């Protein structure tokens, strides 16, 4: 028997890349690869890259420099190390990667991961292999299911891709170019995946897609189902205690999604809803196709059906032409909404996007200063949100043993980490926890009720922030 070959994958960027990395591991398991934690002793290293901002993109090339040295070292000791670049940089830059980093053997775009075994064989014969086409066939039909042991090892929370690509073409964003047009997976396939995960101990499913609430997959009735209807179907699967979805566009929030939040206790009251800016002038230049007022109305629709709902968002500061007044409108929107957390980024021009051609750039100093102010405001909202949990009893889904002996860590509905002293058999259960204190971003508390209390599905905890 040949010994297993070692595979090391390093993922950058979004949740989709984390999910894709697992699919690559599952695909290559069939070729005798097992995962290893270090690149140095690997037979194959895959960099699963992100192209969303320049910084993310440039990391790849510095990592490839280090890997070249590791590859040469391996060759000196008579071992072959192959290097593959996957993800959105692979898609966007293709052959350019091999020109800049000749140690790379394989370049593979996100739609072609099911071809990885063949690409590796081609690289062995031809010296290298590149595939960045959008193949006609659906890769999901070819990607193997994870093995039961692999699902168990990955824990009680799992991502499931339901939709890929984006048709929105925000002027700053590379996603429509790197991930292509919106495609939704059929309902039956997603139900199969979720049932298999739930059968193997997964309790929390996060449906992911670049624009997840544009989901319009084919249902059992042959019609196109919106995300809300899909969520209703998935909530019926035994064992699925929690459902989430990410990332959404405000314009694609429809009544089915709002009713899902009203009707499904398993659907967590925490929604990531990027707005990017609070200025209508900038939103128009970004081609977001909504105003700040439209966004506030969407938030109100969620809040009308679940008072305990909380939001996170993404913001870009320093988009071309952003004035101090535009930026103030962003601060005003943040103040009005009141977030449980949010990500904010300095605008980074991406080659090939319309915004990269815009002349009125904002100075680096202004961007830094705006980012600091925005992050300060968001941090204070996040702290207030976390502090509000102290003294309340909240449901926690326990995930794993914490670093401190005897402690188990889980997450609240709002993804806040929560620690309790308890035996490890609570892992996988949702239990009420009385929150006593806050340590940085982590809640500390005590189990609040007898251990079988979760069987009676506890009431959702009511924490609200903002107006
Ligand atoms: N510059 C800065 N931030 C960007 N994002 C996307 N493209 C850019 C860019 N060119 C941010 C947006 C998006 C998040 C995933 O990344 O806020 O929602
Ligand atoms: Fe990018 Fe999101 Fe806009 Fe699509 S909706 S172009 S993924 S920012």
């Amino acid at each position: 028997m040949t010994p297993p070959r070692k595979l090391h994958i390093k993922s950058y960027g979004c949740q989709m890349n984390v999910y894709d990395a697992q699919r690559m591991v599952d695909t290559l398991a069939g070729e005798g690869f097992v995962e290893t934690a270090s690149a140095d002793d690997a037979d194959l290293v895959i960099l699963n890259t992100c192209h969303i901002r320049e910084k993310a993109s440039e990391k790849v090339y510095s990592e490839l420099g280090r890997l070249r040295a590791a590859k040469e070292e391996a060759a000196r000791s008579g071992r072959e190390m192959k290097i593959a670049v996957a993800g959105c940089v692979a898609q966007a830059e293709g052959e350019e990667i091999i020109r800049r980093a000749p140690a790379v053997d394989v370049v593979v775009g996100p739609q072609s991961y099911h071809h990885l075994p063949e690409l590796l064989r081609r690289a062995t014969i031809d010296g290298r292999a590149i595939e960045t086409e959008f193949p006609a066939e659906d890769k999901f039909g070819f990607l193997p299911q994870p093995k039961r042991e692999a699902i168990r090892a990955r824990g009680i929370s799992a991502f499931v891709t339901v939709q890929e690509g984006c048709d929105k073409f925000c002027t700053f964003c590379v996603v429509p170019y790197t991930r292509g047009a919106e495609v939704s997976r059929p309902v039956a396939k997603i139900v199969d995946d979720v049932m298999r995960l739930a059968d193997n101990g997964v309790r929390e499913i996060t449906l992911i897609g670049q624009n997840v609430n544009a989901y319009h997959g084919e249902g059992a009735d042959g019609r196109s189902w919106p995300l809300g209807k899909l969520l209703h179907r998935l909530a019926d699967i035994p064992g699925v205690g929690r459902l989430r979805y990410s990332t959404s566009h405000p314009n694609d929030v429809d009544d089915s999604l709002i009713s899902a939040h009203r009707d499904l206790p398993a659907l967590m009251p925490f929604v990531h809803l990027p707005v990017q800016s609070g200025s209508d002038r900038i939103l128009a230049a970004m081609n977001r196709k909504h105003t700040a007022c439209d966004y506030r109305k969407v938030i109100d629709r969620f809040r009308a059906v679940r008072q305990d709902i909380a939001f996170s968002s993404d913001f870009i500061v320093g988009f071309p032409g952003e004035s101090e007044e535009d930026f103030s409108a962003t601060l005003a929107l943040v103040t009005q909404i009141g977030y449980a957390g949010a990500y904010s980024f300095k605008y980074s021009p991406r080659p090939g996007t319309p915004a990269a051609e815009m002349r009125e750039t904002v100075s680096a100093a202004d961007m830094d200063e705006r980012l600091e102010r925005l992050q300060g405001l968001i941090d204070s909202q996040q702290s207030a949100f976390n502090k509000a949990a102290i003294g309340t009893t909240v449901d926690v889904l326990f995930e794993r043993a914490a670093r401190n002996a005897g402690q188990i860590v889980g997450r609240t509905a709002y993804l806040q980490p929560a620690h309790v002293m308890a035996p490890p058999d609570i892992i996988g259960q949702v239990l009420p926890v009385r929150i006593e204190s806050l340590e940085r971003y982590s809640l500390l508390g005590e189990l609040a009720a007898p251990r079988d209390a979760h069987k009676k599905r506890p009431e959702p905890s009511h924490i609200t922030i903002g107006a």
Side-chain angles (χ1 to χ4, degrees):
M1 223 177 79
T2 47
R5 290 184 287 172
K6 292 185 188 162
L7 160 68
H8 178 76
I9 300 196
K10 188 162 181 181
S11 268
Y12 301 84
C14 65
Q15 294 166 335
M16 184 76 83
N17 268 6
V18 175
Y19 174 89
D20 284 347
Q22 293 177 350
R23 297 286 76 75
M24 287 190 257
V25 170
D26 297 336
T27 301
L28 292 167
E31 301 286 304
F33 279 98
V34 293
E35 251 188 302
T36 176
S38 118
D40 293 335
D41 67 342
D43 301 297
L44 170 63
V45 179
I46 302 179
L47 297 185
N48 192 16
T49 60
C50 172
H51 199 242
I52 199 94
R53 286 170 291 275
E54 192 182 357
K55 233 191 201 163
S57 226
E58 282 305 312
K59 272 188 198 154
V60 178
Y61 290 102
S62 49
E63 187 62 29
L64 284 173
R66 276 193 289 277
L67 285 177
R68 191 181 87 183
K71 183 174 177 151
E72 285 165 2
E73 182 60 38
R76 274 194 289 277
S77 49
R79 215 163 44 78
E80 194 204 11
M81 176 194 281
K82 278 202 168 66
I83 300 174
V85 178
C88 291
V89 176
Q91 187 64 46
E93 297 187 7
E95 282 184 34
E96 175 66 21
I97 294 175
I98 291 187
R99 261 195 297 277
R100 275 182 74 175
V104 171
D105 302 279
V106 172
V107 176
V108 57
Q111 301 313 319
S112 305
Y113 294 154
H114 53 304
H115 292 158
L116 257 172
E118 182 203 320
L119 291 169
L120 288 169
R121 278 189 282 277
R122 252 174 44 205
T124 303
I125 297 163
D126 302 341
R128 56 193 42 135
I130 302 176
E131 188 171 320
T132 54
E133 302 301 307
F134 287 94
E137 82 272 7
D138 167 23
K139 71 176 167 184
F140 288 101
F142 296 87
L143 287 168
Q145 287 282 358
K147 297 224 164 56
R148 287 178 186 281
E149 310 76 66
I151 298 176
R152 296 215 178 97
R154 286 170 192 163
I156 55 129
S157 184
F159 296 134
V160 173
T161 295
V162 300
Q163 175 281 338
E164 255 190 283
C166 183
D167 294 344
K168 291 280 187 285
F169 291 92
C170 299
T171 53
F172 53 81
C173 185
V174 288
V175 167
Y177 311 97
T178 57
R179 292 279 175 165
E182 268 176 28
V183 182
S184 296
R185 296 178 66 204
V187 172
K189 296 263 171 60
I190 297 163
V191 169
D192 278 356
D193 283 4
V194 172
M195 278 171 52
R196 191 180 163 85
L197 291 167
D199 275 352
N200 288 288
V202 171
R203 294 290 161 258
E204 177 176 77
I205 303 283
T206 304
L207 305 182
I208 55 172
Q210 271 86 31
N211 189 2
V212 74
N213 62 333
Y215 178 81
H216 57 276
E218 189 188 336
D221 53 7
R223 296 206 176 151
S224 156
W225 282 26
L227 183 66
K229 195 161 177 187
L230 174 68
L231 286 163
H232 273 92
R233 172 67 190 89
L234 299 179
D236 285 339
I237 295 174
V240 175
R242 287 184 167 187
L243 286 167
R244 304 178 183 277
Y245 58 91
S246 187
T247 291
S248 300
H249 191 286
N251 288 6
D252 291 321
V253 174
D254 66 0
D255 290 342
S256 87
L257 190 56
I258 300 292
S259 349
H261 277 282
R262 184 193 58 211
D263 301 339
L264 304 175
L267 184 56
M268 291 295 99
F270 188 39
V271 178
H272 184 61
L273 196 64
V275 61
Q276 315 295 355
S277 168
S279 151
D280 289 345
R281 214 174 62 80
I282 296 297
L283 286 169
M286 286 176 164
N287 190 33
R288 290 288 295 179
K289 303 195 183 82
H290 61 76
T291 61
C293 177
D294 297 332
Y295 180 80
R296 280 194 296 269
K297 284 188 187 146
V298 173
I299 297 271
D300 288 345
R301 283 164 68 206
F302 281 104
R303 284 186 169 152
V305 297
R306 269 206 82 149
Q307 293 85 35
D308 62 343
I309 205 158
F311 296 92
S312 63
S313 189
D314 292 339
F315 294 92
I316 295 177
V317 300
F319 185 81
E322 184 189 68
S323 65
E324 183 55 34
E325 201 184 336
D326 294 316
F327 177 65
S328 300
T330 299
L331 295 178
L333 182 70
V334 173
T335 306
Q336 251 173 9
I337 304 282
Y339 288 99
Y343 303 93
S344 40
F345 310 100
K346 287 191 270 188
Y347 168 70
S348 163
R350 307 309 293 127
T353 60
E357 308 296 316
M358 296 179 186
R359 294 270 165 83
E360 269 184 276
T361 53
V362 174
S363 75
D366 282 347
M367 275 205 225
D368 285 339
E369 191 259 347
R370 287 178 195 170
L371 187 72
E372 201 175 309
R373 275 156 70 199
L374 179 58
Q375 283 180 342
L377 178 59
I378 291 165
D379 281 353
S380 69
Q381 292 190 341
Q382 184 169 8
S383 302
F385 184 79
N386 288 339
K387 272 199 199 121
I390 298 173
T392 66
T393 299
V394 302
D395 285 348
V396 173
L397 170 59
F398 287 99
E399 289 180 355
R400 57 187 166 78
R403 230 175 281 145
N404 292 349
Q407 259 188 356
I408 308 293
V409 62
R411 290 197 182 257
T412 69
Y414 308 105
L415 293 176
Q416 298 149 300
H419 292 72
V420 297
M421 293 298 287
D425 65 350
I426 67 164
I427 292 171
Q429 296 184 27
V430 176
L431 294 172
V433 172
R434 172 114 190 127
I435 303 300
E436 285 159 351
S437 60
L438 178 68
E439 222 172 71
R440 285 175 59 84
Y441 294 102
S442 275
L443 301 172
L444 306 182
E446 265 185 14
L447 290 182
R451 298 272 301 283
D452 58 359
H454 66 289
K455 289 182 185 144
K456 294 186 290 186
R457 187 180 284 293
E459 286 294 304
S461 42
H462 287 269
I463 304 175
T464 49
I465 54 156

